[in-house]
């Protein structure tokens, strides 16, 4: 029974990682860019959501809002922040240096933005963990000893739907094909009539949406947010992405669940801080011996710095 | 020297040495996002050796350096199997594992950390820093330095020109490990206390940023980068959070304005030409 | 008779299922100016990569000055006396002209040379040699310059000078005249004649036939990974296989 309960908890935790891992994998797969702002975008949705539900909109525009509109504002904020990152990291460098962009440059800029977002929130709200209350915090299903939280199941299903929808979009729609062509080779895509400059912001909007949703789901499920919430999820999502293989959406799903489950088991059997060793050890071994992950492509991310 | 000033110089020296440890690998074209892991190894080695064997200070620092170098050397082989983003992630993973191991072992104090009874004054740090800076400038001015920069620019061609790229890359990791170990040892002895939380992912990120923002083309980069980002926030006298916010803004602006770092070869050429206009340049 | 400087015997190379070189043999005599020509995709650059050790051939032998070098890694081949240039110039972008040229000397530096702070010493012996060689070829004006700001033709020459710093007996040049205008091609010709007169054997891949006619005395022609002609340049015009490869089957 303990085993099943841990498995369920792991799956729920993994569902959060999935969305963030997909955000990572999309930017790497399509733009060959390791976007370090992703954890901050995730955190922004939660913290901005909390702030709006506690203080109301800034400049006295409104009374404190309910949980749903607050989170909506939070998600919007993530998307806008993501577009800001696009404007000042990726777009700028692509235009200036073309394909030969040294990959380290956007990476370093994104680290800069990570600091900007994280410390802006820390400066504004301090480092405390804040409670985020929703009406259905304690809704659970119980089967014998097994406890399954309804919001968590809903969010697992929601994450899966988003990701499935996304991979459908990548496969079937025109934008999806353009995105995949850009991933293959930006130069060829341009020759084929894909407007790469218009495609790139789409990736960042998707990144913002995925992170914003994941942050909101976390806020609802765990009833708390903190300026540091992104750090934990970010590192785990990176691990999930690598396990699944860089650039593979389905790999990110598998990786997210694997990381979630191995984390809960590791915590259960070896204590709280052992998860770090398990997850990163697994990751390091994979990076070295199977760098393509479970589903990854060969060519992605090998570019020289 | 006032306490404040000597404290500032102490942390500045440690940061400079730490930055050079990352610089040496970055100059050969490898990004090490696991600096905190290497520094933690140096700091904990120093703390444990000091408590267990009561060694003298020079010995402690020497051993921290040697242990750092050994770890760097050994880690280089698996890490060098990876490339690009994968290497960034692999080094990052390495640092996380080091932190995880420290947090989980009671003999290393776990989350509570270790207290040292030995301590050093600021002058030890000053002399170590001068030594490291001189060493790195010397290294970059030798044929080995030239080979390192060649491997940074084009590994395949460097190989065909007879450069042993494997040796250069592994050597860079070993030297990097040594310098990170030394900076860790100095940190432990200077503050008299080590705890795993200090050696976190952000420390790795910061030190890599010092180097990349400073510039990897010349040995000046790490010196200027580390000094700038240690001193400027002090001068601004802001709260901790807003200090890092400004740090982030500076990074983004720098990447737009000078993506190759603050100090580039061309900048140095221009300065030399201004200072010594008559010297016929050969370099 | 002395050994030929380079002997390629029955070399084959395939990538996956694609055969790029099939049983190719030819010989370059010491002191020769030998060209390796053929239509695009004939396998010329692959042959260069096999000779310099970038690729390991699947079958056959490469002999340099009588010594079988199949098992000698690419890094150590330059020390034997073979240096090469590249189809798309590959100078180190962040190194100055002098530094690039000095890098060509790397294979000759002993362990103590490695430790000398040559860059900090304005009159270092190694640096003097680089400057001298640049002087010899009329490139002294570019010494301290950054490579990226120089014209294409100059960069091509600097790449050759870099290769010459290794004191090679055999110089492999991959399309040296490609992308050059008429005037630049003429200078390159004189430049290479000067190089050859120093006793360096030249082996070049080239598309510019007038350039080859003027510079080279022997030639190997390849098509679809096979050797179809090997002999003096003057014999090209009469060779049926060559005409067929270049002009089509009805020629």
């Amino acid at each position: 029974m303990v085993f099943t309960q841990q498995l369920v908890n792991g799956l729920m935790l993994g569902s959060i990682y999935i969305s963030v891992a997909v955000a990572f994998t999309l930017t790497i797969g399509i733009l060959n860019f390791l976007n370090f702002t992703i954890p901050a975008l995730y955190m922004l949705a939660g913290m901005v959501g909390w702030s709006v539900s506690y203080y109301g909109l800034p400049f006295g525009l409104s009374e404190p809002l309910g949980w749903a509109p607050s989170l909506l504002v939070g998600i919007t904020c993530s998307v806008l922040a993501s577009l800001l990152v696009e404007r000042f990291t990726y777009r700028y460098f692509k235009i200036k240096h073309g394909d030969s962009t040294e990959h380290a440059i956007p990476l370093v800029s994104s680290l800069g933005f990570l600091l900007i977002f994280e410390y802006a929130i820390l400066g504004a709200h301090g480092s405390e963990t804040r409670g985020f209350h929703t009406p259905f915090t304690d809704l659970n299903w119980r089967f014998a000893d097994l406890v399954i939280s309804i919001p968590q199941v809903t969010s697992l299903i929601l994450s899966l739907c988003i990701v499935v929808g996304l991979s459908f979009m990548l496969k079937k729609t025109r934008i999806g094909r353009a995105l995949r062509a850009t991933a293959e080779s930006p130069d060829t895509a341009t020759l084929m009539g894909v407007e790469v400059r218009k495609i790139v912001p789409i990736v960042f909007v998707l990144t913002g949406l995925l992170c914003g949703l994941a942050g909101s789901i976390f806020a609802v499920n765990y009833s708390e947010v903190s300026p540091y919430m992104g750090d934990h999820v970010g590192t785990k999502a990176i691990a999930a992405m690598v396990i699944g293989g860089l650039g593979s959406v389905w790999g990110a799903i598998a990786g997210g669940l694997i990381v979630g489950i191995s984390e809960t088991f590791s915590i259960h059997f070896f204590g709280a801080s052992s998860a770090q060793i398990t997850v990163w050890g697994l990751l390091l071994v994979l990076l070295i011996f199977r760098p393509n992950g479970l589903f990854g492509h060969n060519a992605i991310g090998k570019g020289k710095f | 020297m006032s306490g404040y000033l000597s404290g500032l110089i102490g942390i500045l020296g440690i940061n400079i040495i730490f930055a050079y440890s990352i610089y040496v690998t970055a100059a050969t074209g490898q990004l090490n996002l696991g600096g905190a892991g290497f520094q933690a190894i140096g700091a904990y080695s120093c703390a444990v050796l000091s408590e267990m064997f009561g060694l003298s200070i020079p010995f402690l620092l020497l051993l921290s350096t040697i242990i750092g170098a050994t770890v760097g050397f050994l880690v280089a082989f698996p890490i060098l199997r990876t490339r690009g983003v994968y290497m960034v992630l692999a080094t990052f993973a390495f640092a996380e594992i080091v932190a995880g191991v420290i947090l989980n072992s009671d003999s290393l104090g776990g989350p509570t950390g270790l207290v040292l009874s030995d301590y050093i004054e600021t002058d030890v740090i000053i002399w170590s820093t001068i030594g490291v800076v001189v060493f790195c400038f010397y290294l970059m001015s030798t044929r080995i330095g030239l080979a390192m920069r060649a491997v940074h620019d084009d590994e395949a061609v460097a190989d065909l020109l007879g450069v042993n790229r494997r040796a250069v890359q592994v050597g860079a990791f070993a030297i990097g490990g040594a310098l990170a170990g030394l900076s860790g040892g100095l940190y432990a002895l200077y503050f008299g206390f080590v705890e795993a939380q200090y050696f976190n992912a952000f420390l790795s990120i910061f030190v890599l940023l010092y180097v990349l923002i400073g510039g990897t083309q010349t040995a000046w980069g790490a010196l200027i980068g580390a000094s700038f980002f240690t001193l400027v926030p002090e001068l601004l006298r802001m709260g901790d959070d807003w200090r890092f916010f400004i740090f982030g803004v500076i990074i983004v602006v720098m990447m737009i304005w000078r993506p190759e770092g603050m100090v580039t070869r061309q900048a140095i050429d221009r300065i030399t030409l201004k200072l010594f206009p008559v010297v016929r340049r050969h370099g | 008779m002395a050994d030929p400087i380079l002997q390629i015997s029955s070399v084959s190379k395939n990538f996956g299922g694609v055969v790029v070189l099939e049983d190719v043999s030819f010989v370059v005599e010491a002191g020769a100016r030998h060209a390796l020509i053929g239509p695009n995709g004939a396998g010329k650059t692959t042959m260069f990569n096999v000779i310099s050790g970038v690729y390991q051939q699947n079958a056959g032998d490469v002999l340099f000055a009588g010594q079988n070098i199949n098992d000698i890694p690419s890094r150590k081949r330059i020390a034997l006396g073979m240096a090469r240039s590249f189809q798309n110039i590959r100078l180190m972008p962040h190194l100055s002209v002098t530094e690039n040229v000095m890098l060509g000397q790397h294979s000759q530096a002993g362990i103590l040379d490695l430790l000398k702070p040559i860059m900090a010493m304005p009159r270092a012996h190694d640096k003097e040699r680089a400057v001298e060689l640049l002087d010899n070829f009329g490139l002294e004006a570019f010494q301290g310059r950054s490579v990226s700001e120089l014209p294409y033709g100059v960069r091509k020459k600097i790449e050759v000078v870099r290769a010459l710093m290794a004191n090679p007996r055999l110089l492999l040049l991959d399309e040296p005249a490609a992308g050059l205008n008429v005037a630049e091609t003429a200078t390159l010709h004189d430049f290479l004649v000067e190089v050859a007169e120093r006793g360096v054997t030249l082996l070049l891949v080239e598309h510019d036939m007038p350039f080859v006619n003027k510079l080279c005395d022997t030639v190997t022609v390849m098509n679809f990974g096979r050797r179809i002609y090997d002999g003096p340049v003057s014999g090209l015009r009469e060779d049926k296989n060559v005409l067929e490869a270049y002009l089509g089957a009805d020629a």
Side-chain angles (χ1 to χ4, degrees):
Chain A
M1 212 59 218
V2 173
F3 182 84
T4 332
Q5 182 67 58
Q6 291 304 327
L7 194 65
V8 169
N9 293 350
L11 281 175
M12 298 307 156
L13 194 59
S15 74
I16 305 241
Y17 298 156
I18 287 175
S19 311
V20 183
V22 168
F24 269 117
T25 227
L26 264 186
T27 24
I28 281 229
I30 296 173
L31 305 176
N32 199 6
F33 168 32
L34 181 57
N35 184 352
F36 269 105
T37 50
I38 284 172
L41 300 176
Y42 167 90
M43 177 274 294
L44 272 183
M47 282 306 287
V48 171
W50 165 80
S51 146
V52 173
S53 77
Y54 192 82
Y55 297 111
L57 290 170
F59 314 115
L61 282 174
S62 79
E63 296 294 298
L65 298 177
W67 67 274
S70 301
L71 287 179
L72 214 58
V73 174
I75 294 172
T76 316
C77 227
S78 300
V79 174
L80 292 178
S82 185
L83 282 173
L84 189 74
V85 173
E86 191 267 338
R87 180 66 190 80
F88 285 103
T89 62
Y90 206 76
R91 185 193 297 189
Y92 188 82
F93 300 116
K94 274 288 161 183
I95 291 170
K96 201 168 167 197
H97 304 290
D99 261 3
S100 64
T101 305
E102 293 216 27
H103 300 296
I105 298 172
L107 180 111
V108 171
S109 278
S110 79
L111 286 170
F113 270 108
L114 173 69
L115 296 179
I116 293 177
F117 294 144
E118 186 140 343
Y119 284 98
I121 293 290
L122 276 168
H125 292 303
S127 61
E128 291 142 63
T129 302
R130 312 288 184 155
F132 188 89
H133 300 291
T134 52
F136 29 73
T137 308
D138 291 320
L139 281 183
N140 290 321
W141 276 322
R142 285 170 197 278
F143 303 104
D145 292 338
L146 199 62
V147 184
I148 300 178
S149 124
I150 296 172
Q152 288 191 349
V153 174
T154 323
S155 39
L156 176 62
I157 295 169
L158 188 65
S159 318
L160 285 175
C161 286
I162 293 167
V163 175
V164 171
L166 186 71
S167 75
F168 176 81
M169 188 203 105
L170 283 178
K171 275 227 166 66
K172 302 284 179 194
T173 65
R174 227 165 61 89
I175 294 177
R177 279 194 293 269
L179 284 171
R180 283 188 300 134
T182 313
E184 286 293 321
S185 154
D187 284 343
T188 320
T190 313
L191 289 175
M192 305 291 278
V194 175
E195 288 195 57
V196 175
R197 274 192 211 186
K198 289 192 180 155
I199 287 297
V200 174
I202 295 177
V203 179
F204 281 83
V205 169
L206 287 173
T207 305
L209 268 180
L210 284 164
C211 296
L213 276 168
S216 307
I217 287 173
F218 179 88
V220 172
N221 281 339
Y222 295 88
S223 310
E224 59 176 42
V225 291
S226 95
Y228 299 117
M229 66 193 257
D231 302 354
H232 169 82
V233 160
T235 50
K236 296 295 155 56
I238 289 178
M241 166 184 73
V242 173
I243 289 169
L246 272 62
S248 158
V249 172
W250 292 102
I253 298 179
L257 296 179
I258 291 173
V259 170
I261 291 167
S262 51
E263 185 180 349
T264 43
F265 274 96
S266 179
I267 290 174
H268 184 76
F269 291 112
F270 309 108
S273 46
S274 68
Q276 196 175 1
I277 305 179
T278 317
V279 171
W280 288 102
L282 183 64
L283 178 79
L284 189 60
V285 170
L286 260 177
L287 277 170
I288 291 164
F289 296 104
R290 200 178 152 72
N292 298 338
L294 300 175
F295 307 93
H297 299 286
N298 204 0
I300 288 167
K302 296 271 170 83
K304 194 175 158 58
F305 279 119
Chain B
M1 235 188 310
S2 75
Y4 171 76
L5 191 62
S6 75
L8 188 59
I9 290 175
I11 195 73
L12 175 65
I14 290 168
N15 279 347
I16 289 175
I17 297 175
F18 192 21
Y20 271 109
S21 84
I22 302 301
Y23 167 79
V24 175
T25 46
T28 63
Q30 296 135 3
L31 293 192
N32 180 356
L33 196 53
F38 289 98
Q39 195 183 38
I41 287 171
Y44 273 85
S45 309
C46 184
V48 169
L49 290 170
S50 154
E51 290 316 293
M52 280 173 65
F53 304 107
L55 300 173
S56 65
I57 303 281
F59 247 126
L60 284 175
L61 290 176
L62 183 68
L63 282 174
S64 307
T65 313
I66 292 173
I67 292 171
T70 315
V71 173
F73 177 79
L74 293 176
V75 167
F77 291 96
I79 295 261
L80 284 169
R81 289 176 55 111
T82 61
R83 314 187 67 73
V85 171
Y86 290 86
M87 182 183 281
V88 173
L89 292 173
T91 49
F92 191 69
F94 167 76
E96 292 288 326
I97 292 169
V98 170
V101 169
I102 293 171
L103 283 171
N104 277 286
S105 54
D106 296 332
S107 55
L108 295 176
T112 46
L114 292 176
V115 180
L116 287 84
S117 39
D118 286 318
Y119 68 96
I120 50 171
E121 298 292 342
T122 317
D123 58 342
V124 179
I125 295 187
I126 295 176
W127 288 114
S128 309
T129 311
I130 292 173
V132 167
V133 173
V134 169
F135 169 76
C136 288
F137 269 88
Y138 160 74
L139 182 72
M140 294 315 287
S141 77
T142 61
R143 209 164 250 296
I144 299 174
L146 187 63
M148 287 166 66
R149 288 164 53 206
V151 171
H152 172 280
D153 278 3
D154 194 330
E155 272 180 54
V157 173
D159 174 83
L160 286 172
L161 289 171
V163 174
N164 188 343
R165 60 177 166 185
R166 199 87 186 139
V168 167
Q169 288 168 329
V170 172
F173 261 98
I175 295 173
L179 296 181
L182 175 63
S183 73
L186 290 170
Y187 176 89
L189 288 168
Y190 192 63
F191 292 98
F193 178 62
V194 287
E195 59 171 344
Q197 286 89 330
Y198 174 78
F199 304 100
N200 59 23
F202 272 97
L203 183 66
S204 300
I205 292 178
F206 285 140
V207 71
L208 181 64
L209 290 176
Y210 293 160
V211 173
L212 293 181
I213 299 289
T216 56
Q217 290 178 14
T218 73
W220 287 100
L223 182 64
I224 304 284
S227 308
F228 183 83
F229 286 109
T230 310
L231 298 178
V232 168
E234 285 302 323
L235 297 176
L236 293 174
R237 298 257 180 186
M238 273 188 280
D240 254 358
D241 297 333
W242 291 109
R243 173 186 301 189
F244 290 117
F245 176 82
I246 297 287
F247 189 80
V249 173
I250 294 175
I251 287 160
V252 172
V253 172
M254 279 296 297
M255 281 294 110
I256 292 171
W257 178 50
R258 290 188 77 84
E260 308 242 277
M262 289 179 181
V263 192
T264 57
R265 300 200 80 74
Q266 282 171 331
I268 289 201
D269 282 355
R270 237 176 285 140
I271 294 169
T272 344
L273 207 63
K274 253 193 198 134
L275 294 179
F276 313 101
V278 277
V279 178
R280 182 176 166 217
R281 280 178 311 142
H282 283 241
Chain C
M1 201 183 112
D3 280 321
I5 189 118
L6 184 71
Q7 253 175 297
I8 306 294
S9 65
S10 309
V11 165
S12 296
K13 173 72 191 168
N14 50 49
F15 293 102
V18 186
V19 179
V20 185
L21 295 176
E22 199 179 351
D23 198 25
V24 179
S25 304
F26 64 91
V27 166
V28 180
E29 298 294 343
R33 301 175 197 170
H34 191 99
L36 185 58
I37 64 170
N40 280 324
K44 304 175 302 272
T45 296
T46 307
M47 178 52 85
F48 259 36
N49 282 336
V50 167
I51 296 172
S52 55
V54 176
Y55 301 146
Q56 183 70 44
Q57 68 272 31
N58 299 101
D61 297 306
V62 178
L63 276 75
F64 183 76
Q67 182 194 0
N68 186 320
I69 58 168
N70 289 357
D71 297 328
I72 295 183
S74 52
R75 168 168 65 84
K76 294 189 173 155
R77 294 191 185 189
I78 190 169
L80 298 176
M82 65 158 81
R84 70 171 286 188
S85 74
F86 300 86
Q87 197 174 339
N88 34 4
I89 306 174
R90 287 173 80 172
L91 291 168
M92 305 298 175
H94 295 108
L95 267 54
S96 74
V97 170
T98 320
E99 286 166 343
N100 262 291
V101 173
M102 286 169 74
L103 196 59
Q105 233 173 351
H106 190 89
S107 57
Q108 309 202 309
I111 198 107
L112 285 177
D113 295 328
L114 289 178
L115 297 173
K116 265 193 283 181
I118 44 173
M119 318 306 263
M121 307 193 302
R123 300 246 163 263
H125 172 69
D126 308 37
K127 205 186 255 180
E128 297 275 282
R129 236 200 95 202
V131 173
E132 191 187 303
L133 201 57
L134 282 168
D135 270 342
N136 281 348
F137 291 104
L139 296 165
E140 66 277 8
F142 304 109
Q143 280 171 39
R145 298 276 289 281
S146 158
V147 171
S148 49
E149 61 193 37
L150 299 178
Y152 189 80
V154 175
R155 281 188 283 155
K156 284 223 127 150
K157 282 194 210 158
I158 290 169
E159 207 185 30
V160 177
V161 172
R162 178 175 73 181
L164 285 177
M165 280 297 273
N167 285 335
R169 286 182 281 168
L170 173 66
L171 190 58
L172 303 160
L173 301 169
D174 201 345
E175 303 202 14
L180 299 187
N181 61 30
V182 181
E184 283 174 326
T185 311
T187 353
L188 183 75
H189 173 264
D190 299 344
F191 176 73
L192 290 180
V193 168
E194 212 179 316
V195 171
E197 278 165 3
R198 292 165 176 240
V200 180
T201 309
L202 300 180
L203 172 59
L204 47 139
V205 164
E206 191 48 76
H207 280 293
D208 184 341
M209 280 316 290
F211 182 76
V212 170
N213 275 329
K214 214 170 145 199
L215 182 68
C216 300
D217 24 55
T218 48
V219 61
T220 300
V221 186
M222 288 176 63
N223 196 18
F224 295 118
R226 295 171 148 277
R227 190 196 79 183
I228 57 173
Y229 177 84
D230 192 36
V233 174
S234 52
L236 270 181
R237 254 166 240 248
E238 286 92 58
D239 191 85
K240 205 169 73 133
N241 288 334
V242 174
L243 291 176
E244 212 171 88
Y246 273 92
L247 303 172
D250 332 320

